[in-house]
Amino acid sequence: MIGKLLRARLRRMEHRKSIRLTGRCSAAFVVLAALGLPAAADARPGIDTDGDGRYSLVELRSHYPSLSASVFRMIDADGDGLVSPGEFRNGQDRDLLPRPADDRSS
């Protein structure tokens, strides 16, 4: 039953937004987006140790030891105590977090 409902919702989304599902990977990202869950591709490998798709102060400090609690609060735009991948990128854009050398061009 849930499978039928999910497939129907995906077909409506595909039709309404002109999304072409070209394989299982594309369908998985559409499902994650529809459910509001973070895509695994958004998570930085090695930082997100609990696998929830967001970064706690402890997780970020393991890679950025000099990160202060006040800077963490500046990065955490919604104030939920966790940094989403979007907030992480915004923190890098605002030079609150350094970018890895291979990530500076994006």
Side-chain angles (χ1 to χ4, degrees):
M1 178 71 172
I2 292 176
K4 285 183 179 181
L5 293 173
L6 186 56
R7 282 192 297 275
R9 183 169 181 175
L10 286 173
R11 279 195 297 275
R12 283 193 304 274
M13 288 174 63
E14 180 180 9
H15 178 69
R16 188 175 10 184
K17 295 182 180 180
S18 300
I19 298 171
R20 293 195 65 199
L21 299 179
T22 58
R24 289 180 191 212
C25 186
S26 296
F29 284 115
V30 170
V31 169
L32 289 173
L35 296 174
L37 300 174
D42 283 344
R44 303 281 178 180
I47 296 177
D48 182 24
T49 56
D50 63 4
D52 68 350
R54 299 178 298 169
Y55 317 115
S56 67
L57 177 58
V58 171
E59 288 172 325
L60 284 175
R61 276 191 176 157
S62 69
H63 290 272
Y64 304 100
S66 63
L67 180 67
S68 69
S70 61
V71 171
F72 180 83
R73 286 191 299 273
M74 290 170 58
I75 296 167
D76 180 22
D78 62 6
D80 66 353
L82 297 168
V83 173
S84 69
E87 290 170 332
F88 183 88
R89 285 187 298 275
N90 288 339
Q92 288 180 324
D93 291 344
R94 294 169 48 205
D95 293 325
L96 298 172
L97 289 170
R99 290 182 184 269
D102 59 339
D103 194 25
R104 293 188 191 276
S105 62
S106 56

